[in-house]
């Protein structure tokens, strides 16, 4: 197998950020299909790799700059990182949390910064973002296009190395029905990665009904999310975390060298605040989501499900759509819905109730 020197150089450069490793030990050796590829020359646009510390992946050449980058092959597991607990302390009395949390272990992570200009750009972009449009579509399908259009700083920390913005949909009297939040944290003493997160919280189903009624709508009888709406929400939250929020961090536009594979953790949880007024057990997911298309779980009633996706942060829409269905299928099967198949989650059914 003949391999161009340019490819070897790209391999060494892309693996340079892995501690105590060189490109070959970090990313592996070129592993093309020997039956169809006799040589890898300077015209190659993709080189499959195997045997590296970071797991199976490939080198990909950027069509515009011609620069090479390493990307992991998509894969799934249910291992959650330390960062999965970020921004979860403040809870409503009872709520559903739907979130996508990206962990991006860049070699240059400690050199990045959140600038005032990028922060202002995000403030202008959030009200017209795809994340907001998806939340508005949820309300529209239930009678009225309520929109989380007013975004404010908080409730979590805003500093030179972090930001948090949130918006709420309320019923008359200001009781919160839905809240949305986007958050980012740069590396600190406990974490060496850039961590970004987009989440929607359904805090009060009756309040959501009342908010729709106040907008002169006839609210749906069943306010629960469909499994297809959940898929759409997770996909848009994923895109928001790995693309929209990363754009706020100055320096992320540079060529990325990974210390470890980038991941996104998709998490759905029905929660109850732990205090003296929070009597009773945790609510279950089927309080908020119609899980019936998945069948029955061998684990009984569930209060949480999650899946970690290892994949390139930037994906085109069709690739992300395919991966989100595979990820939700994997998650469902891991949490006891062993009879569900991918055809149940096909895009023709997505966005329908």
């Amino acid at each position: 197998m003949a391999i161009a020197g340019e490819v070897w150089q790209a391999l060494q450069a892309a693996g340079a950020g892995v501690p105590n490793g060189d490109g070959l030990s970090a990313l592996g050796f070129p592993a093309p299909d020997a039956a169809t590829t006799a040589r890898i020359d300077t015209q190659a646009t993709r080189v499959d790799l195997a045997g590296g510390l970071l797991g199976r992946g490939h080198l990909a050449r950027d069509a515009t700059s011609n620069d090479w980058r390493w990307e992991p092959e998509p894969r799934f597991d249910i291992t959650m990182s330390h960062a999965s607990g970020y921004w979860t302390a403040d809870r409503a009395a009872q709520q559903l949390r739907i979130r996508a949390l990206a962990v991006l272990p860049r070699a240059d992570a400690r050199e990045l910064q959140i600038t005032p200009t990028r922060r202002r750009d995000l403030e202008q972009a959030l009200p017209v973002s795809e994340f907001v449009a998806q939340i508005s579509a949820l309300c529209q399908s239930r009678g009225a296009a309520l929109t989380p259009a007013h975004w404010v700083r908080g409730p979590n920390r805003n500093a030179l190395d972090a930001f948090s913005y949130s918006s709420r949909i309320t019923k008359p009297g200001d009781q919160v029905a839905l809240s949305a939040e986007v958050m980012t944290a740069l590396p600190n003493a406990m974490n060496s990665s850039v961590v970004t997160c987009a989440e929607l919280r359904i805090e009060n189903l009756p309040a959501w009904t009342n908010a729709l009624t106040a907008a002169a709508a006839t609210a749906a009888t069943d306010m629960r999310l469909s499994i297809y709406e959940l898929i759409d929400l997770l996909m848009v939250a994923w895109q928001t975390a790995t693309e929209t929020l990363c754009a706020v961090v100055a320096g992320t536009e540079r060529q990325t060298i990974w210390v470890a594979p980038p991941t996104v953790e998709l998490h759905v949880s029905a929660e109850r605040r732990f205090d003296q007024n929070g009597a009773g057990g945790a609510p279950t997911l089927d309080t908020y989501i119609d899980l019936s298309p998945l069948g029955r779980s061998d684990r009984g009633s569930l209060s949480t499900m999650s899946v970690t996706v290892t994949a390139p942060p930037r994906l085109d829409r069709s690739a992300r759509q395919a991966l989100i269905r595979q990820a939700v299928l994997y998650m469902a099967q891991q949490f006891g819905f062993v009879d569900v198949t991918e055809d149940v989650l096909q895009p023709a059914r997505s966005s329908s109730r």
Side-chain angles (χ1 to χ4, degrees), residues 117-280:
T117 300
R118 299 281 183 102
R119 191 186 290 271
R120 285 194 295 270
D121 289 344
L122 178 66
E123 291 171 354
Q124 294 174 4
L126 279 172
V128 293
S129 65
E130 191 171 354
F131 187 43
V132 165
Q134 192 66 48
I135 297 169
S136 182
L138 281 182
C139 296
Q140 179 67 69
S141 69
R142 288 159 176 78
L146 304 178
T147 300
H150 180 58
W151 289 76
V152 298
R153 295 185 181 182
N156 286 292
R157 192 168 67 96
N158 280 276
L160 294 177
D161 63 347
F163 66 77
S164 162
Y165 288 88
S166 61
S167 186
R168 307 186 306 172
I169 292 175
T170 62
K171 77 164 192 174
D174 207 36
Q175 184 177 16
V176 178
L178 309 181
S179 61
E181 188 178 357
V182 296
M183 308 80 99
T184 289
L186 298 186
N188 53 41
M190 298 296 293
N191 181 61
S192 60
S193 299
V194 177
V195 181
T196 63
C197 182
E199 74 175 31
L200 172 68
R201 299 183 292 268
I202 300 178
E203 299 191 17
N204 191 307
L205 287 174
W208 192 10
T209 299
N210 291 339
L212 292 168
T213 303
T218 301
T221 304
D222 186 356
M223 293 291 290
R224 295 181 303 167
L225 305 185
S226 72
I227 192 67
Y228 315 112
E229 288 174 323
L230 175 64
I231 290 171
D232 288 345
L233 271 170
L234 286 172
M235 187 182 78
V236 173
W238 177 356
Q239 183 273 332
T240 301
T242 56
E243 296 187 22
T244 306
L245 301 186
C246 282
V248 186
V249 181
T252 52
E253 68 278 4
R254 296 195 296 259
Q255 181 74 6
T256 304
I257 296 176
W258 298 108
V259 176
T263 61
V264 61
E265 301 173 11
L266 307 176
H267 191 72
V268 186
S269 58
E271 306 169 347
R272 186 188 299 275
R273 186 169 57 218
F274 297 106
D275 60 22
Q276 60 184 2
N277 297 317

